[in-house]
Amino acid sequence: FALPDINSEDMISNLVIAVDTSGSIGKKELQHFVSETFHIARLSHDGVILCYCDAEVQSWDEVESDEFPPVPIGGGGTQFSPVFERLNREINENNLSVSGLVYLTDGYPYGWPEQHECPVPVLWVITTDVEAPWGRTIHYDATDLAVPNGNR
């Protein structure tokens, strides 16, 4: 799947955005992830579901198209599987209708989940040169994410 541009009449609907909030994600990088989430939600008819996850799902919130995402929670290790487990549970138990998942990350989990664990198309937005083993990968230019002390 692909996201429409701002002038498109094809609006996004039923999208889940997962944000990696692990300790390897710098403050500036996280700010960019939240900002991107806000802009994606604005393109949506009905907002998005925002999931913050480090080694576990920290939050799962509906974000309306006109509201700013909640403050990120996390700081632990990196696991992607908890997002897919929660997504499957929401689809199977709560009949959640989802058209796709966008995962914002640096691409450094303890291990990549198997593709069969995710029932919807996945767009991996990665700030490093890592390529996801499945789904579609795009690289987010992180060169302007440096902060004065040299950390990301």
Side-chain angles (χ1 to χ4, degrees), residues 14-18 47-51 60-63 96-98:
N14 304 323
L15 190 65
V16 174
I17 301 175
V48 298
I49 293 175
L50 173 61
C51 177
W60 182 274
D61 298 298
E62 291 183 27
V63 177
L96 180 68
S97 175
V98 177

Side-chain angles (χ1 to χ4, degrees), residues 32-113:
H32 278 263
F33 288 171
V34 171
S35 177
E36 292 300 331
T37 299
F38 173 72
H39 292 295
I40 293 169
R42 287 184 53 213
L43 293 172
S44 174
H45 285 296
D46 49 5
V48 298
I49 293 175
L50 173 61
C51 177
Y52 290 135
C53 185
D54 50 16
E56 60 187 55
V57 170
Q58 297 294 338
S59 67
W60 182 274
D61 298 298
E62 291 183 27
V63 177
E64 298 300 322
S65 59
D66 62 345
E67 69 181 342
F68 202 73
V71 174
I73 303 167
T78 309
Q79 291 286 343
F80 297 148
S81 292
V83 172
F84 299 116
E85 291 165 4
R86 175 69 183 261
L87 179 60
N88 279 306
R89 189 168 62 250
E90 294 291 335
I91 290 170
N92 295 325
E93 295 175 12
N94 298 324
N95 297 316
L96 180 68
S97 175
V98 177
S99 59
L101 169 70
V102 176
Y103 212 124
L104 301 158
T105 180
D106 59 5
Y108 294 119
Y110 290 125
W112 289 88

